[in-house]
Amino acid sequence: MAKKEYTPMTREQIFEEKADHYNICYSTICPLREHCLRSLLTSYTPKDRLFVHSINLNNPEMQRADCPQYRDDKPVRMPSGLSSIYYDMPSRIERSIKHHLIAVYSRKRYYEYHNGTRPLTPDVEQYVRQVMINAGWTEEPRFLNYVEEYLW
């Protein structure tokens, strides 16, 4: 069976795909709007849609410099694939880490991280590193690869 060719999507293609179901911000006074994904997606919403998911601008926490809904428009470099972190590890530490991560993230999510089908966000990466240290493994983890994606 031949492997499918993967062609990376352009920024515009990603935004068009996300704009259809992502929470969008239509604020014109927000100080963060120039670099916020939610604001940038306003120009990518389908013109034929009657309704869209949007941020409630009447909420007093919105449209401020510390907006909790702000999403940076710069892609983040994230590790992908946990399977290689176990290569040099004793099996007792490997089992401890694996069981702990499955308990926290669920078996399905753990294996998405393990196989590399879902990249590790910065907070998940930091948590994995802390679990490894708590289990007694002090070496730097070696992930399968790294990807650059937006933090939605």
Side-chain angles (χ1 to χ4, degrees):
M1 186 164 146
K3 189 174 183 179
K4 290 183 180 179
E5 287 294 319
Y6 174 73
T7 55
M9 293 174 35
T10 65
R11 178 179 165 126
E12 285 73 29
Q13 290 171 323
I14 294 169
F15 285 6
E16 286 172 0
E17 180 184 291
K18 292 289 185 180
D20 196 33
H21 60 275
Y22 194 65
N23 290 334
I24 297 171
C25 181
Y26 289 98
S27 173
T28 57
I29 61 169
C30 180
L32 303 173
R33 76 179 178 281
E34 296 297 321
H35 296 287
C36 182
L37 283 174
R38 296 185 191 281
S39 181
L40 293 174
L41 288 180
T42 58
S43 59
Y44 293 93
T45 53
K47 305 297 182 218
D48 61 339
R49 294 285 308 270
L50 295 176
F51 301 100
V52 294
H53 298 274
S54 68
I55 304 295
N56 179 7
L57 298 179
N58 292 325
N59 186 314
E61 294 181 5
M62 302 304 130
Q63 304 183 79
R64 298 187 331 200
D66 62 341
C67 177
Q69 294 299 313
Y70 173 75
R71 298 294 181 268
D72 197 2
D73 68 339
K74 293 176 184 60
V76 175
R77 186 172 185 256
M78 297 181 277
S80 177
L82 287 176
S83 61
S84 60
I85 68 170
Y86 301 121
Y87 287 167
D88 299 329
M89 207 176 275
S91 62
R92 65 178 175 75
I93 293 177
E94 175 186 345
R95 281 193 308 270
S96 171
I97 293 170
K98 179 180 175 181
H99 292 302
H100 184 89
L101 293 175
I102 288 173
V104 171
Y105 294 112
S106 82
R107 182 172 296 279
K108 179 179 187 260
R109 178 66 49 94
Y110 169 80
Y111 279 105
E112 289 173 347
Y113 292 143
H114 181 82
N115 299 330
T117 56
R118 179 186 294 264
L120 283 76
T121 59
D123 56 330
V124 173
E125 178 186 3
Q126 185 60 38
Y127 189 79
V128 167
R129 290 175 185 274
Q130 190 60 48
V131 168
M132 291 172 70
I133 290 169
N134 293 347
W137 190 251
T138 56
E139 292 183 28
E140 187 68 20
R142 291 177 297 172
F143 299 101
L144 285 178
N145 61 2
Y146 286 84
V147 295
E148 283 201 4
E149 290 188 14
Y150 296 99
L151 288 178
W152 298 99

